[in-house]
Amino acid sequence: MKYKIGFIGAGNMAKAIIKGLLSASIVKEDEILASASSQNSIDQTKASLKIQTTLDNTQVARECEYVILAIKPYMVETILQEISDYLSPDQVVISIAAGITLDQLAEWTDHKVRLYRAMPNTPAHVNAGMTSLCTKISSEDPSYSYVISLFEAIGKCEVIKESLIHAAIAIHGSSPAYVYMMLEAMGDAGVLLGLPRDQAYKMAAQSLYGAALMSLETGLHPGVLKDQVTSPGGTTIEAVASLEKSGFRSDLIEAMVSCASKSIQMSTKK
């Protein structure tokens, strides 16, 4: 194959992944090919990322060892039907389209390639993403560890059963929105208490980042980390008690269950 990795679609998530791969030296610029539907899009992509680009999706299928489908879900079947005849058994196809199952991908590629389904989230844009990866490929296959490394270039990656994808959507796919709501509320509280808004947001964002990093770095149970902050009779336990009284944790759990339920509902409508 002429290229190691090809992207069909050159939108924001594709560009985030490409930037991560280049930053981590997983591949070089001349080992990546990306296709898009407009000349303006491929011109911008080539100028900003210094990779090769094309208007021809079949070129990506013909010339790339790993093909990443970075397109909208409604486009996947049509695109795979377009490129299927150009795919071969030694290639790998990775879809990041929400709601498209491995069985659908297999059907639309005539069961001829190794398939992976990935779900990265938006913090991939700052190399702090979380990706859930599903596949029926054995962990002994050479592509297995390599595909994981692609998504570890933009953050963390966990391999899960496909049946758990709806839970993953609730936990990390949609959760940046919940965190931004919390960040905004914390900023508003800071303003209410007299802080300038820019300082309040910075303090809140750094605190959220630091708390998450401590959880990842220490591996301690969240309850243990919480207890390290809550001194007897102090300010933190007063805030924790108020949150418990208002149902903070139960509301968050209920919201995530609702998110997963909606994902299931949307999937079964296809």
Side-chain angles (χ1 to χ4, degrees), residues 123-146:
H125 291 281
V126 290
N127 286 354
M130 180 68 228
T131 300
S132 288
L133 189 66
C134 310
T135 188
K136 296 181 181 181
I137 302 300
S138 166
S139 60
E140 301 300 317
D141 190 281
S143 68
Y144 189 90
S145 59
Y146 188 76

Side-chain angles (χ1 to χ4, degrees), residues 13 21 30 63 95 98 104 131 133 152 167 183 195 208 240 259:
M13 188 57 74
L21 297 179
D30 60 5
E63 300 182 0
S95 170
Q104 288 174 307
T131 300
L133 189 66
E152 285 183 337
L183 175 58
L195 283 169
L208 291 174
V240 169
C259 179

Side-chain angles (χ1 to χ4, degrees), residues 1-31:
M1 294 289 176
K2 184 176 181 181
Y3 299 97
K4 185 70 174 181
I5 301 175
F7 288 80
I8 294 182
N12 289 332
M13 188 57 74
K15 289 176 181 175
I17 296 173
I18 293 169
K19 288 176 182 177
L21 297 179
L22 295 174
S23 177
S25 299
I26 302 293
V27 285
K28 299 176 182 177
E29 288 93 339
D30 60 5
E31 294 179 299

Side-chain angles (χ1 to χ4, degrees), residues 69-89:
L69 303 176
I71 51 181
K72 300 293 185 184
Y74 75 89
M75 301 171 63
V76 174
E77 182 176 6
T78 300
I79 294 294
L80 286 180
Q81 288 174 345
E82 175 189 353
I83 70 172
S84 180
D85 289 343
Y86 302 94
L87 296 171
S88 59

Side-chain angles (χ1 to χ4, degrees), residues 12-186:
N12 289 332
M13 188 57 74
K15 289 176 181 175
I17 296 173
I18 293 169
K19 288 176 182 177
L21 297 179
L22 295 174
S23 177
S25 299
I26 302 293
V27 285
K28 299 176 182 177
E29 288 93 339
D30 60 5
E31 294 179 299
I32 301 175
L33 175 67
S35 68
S37 58
S38 73
Q39 187 66 46
N40 182 58
S41 179
I42 64 170
D43 287 346
Q44 288 183 352
T45 301
K46 187 170 186 176
S48 62
L49 299 174
K50 313 302 180 187
I51 64 170
Q52 298 303 307
T53 57
T54 178
L55 289 169
D56 184 4
N57 294 327
T58 66
Q59 184 184 353
V60 176
R62 293 192 312 270
E63 300 182 0
C64 299
E65 183 178 349
Y66 289 80
V67 176
I68 298 178
L69 303 176
I71 51 181
K72 300 293 185 184
Y74 75 89
M75 301 171 63
V76 174
E77 182 176 6
T78 300
I79 294 294
L80 286 180
Q81 288 174 345
E82 175 189 353
I83 70 172
S84 180
D85 289 343
Y86 302 94
L87 296 171
S88 59
D90 59 343
Q91 289 175 282
V92 172
V93 171
I94 306 163
S95 170
I96 63 171
I100 304 299
T101 67
L102 289 170
D103 285 343
Q104 288 174 307
L105 294 171
E107 178 185 350
W108 298 335
T109 54
D110 295 327
H111 301 267
K112 66 170 65 170
V113 294
R114 288 166 287 173
L115 295 168
Y116 292 82
R117 178 183 176 186
M119 192 185 65
N121 63 5
T122 56
H125 291 281
V126 290
N127 286 354
M130 180 68 228
T131 300
S132 288
L133 189 66
C134 310
T135 188
K136 296 181 181 181
I137 302 300
S138 166
S139 60
E140 301 300 317
D141 190 281
S143 68
Y144 189 90
S145 59
Y146 188 76
V147 171
I148 291 174
S149 74
L150 298 182
F151 291 99
E152 285 183 337
I154 55 168
K156 305 290 185 182
C157 180
E158 287 290 328
V159 180
I160 64 171
K161 295 178 181 179
E162 192 174 20
S163 60
L164 296 176
I165 197 70
H166 304 293
I169 288 171
I171 300 301
H172 77 80
S174 299
S175 63
Y178 326 150
V179 175
Y180 298 140
M181 290 175 69
M182 182 176 176
L183 175 58
E184 186 178 28
M186 291 171 71

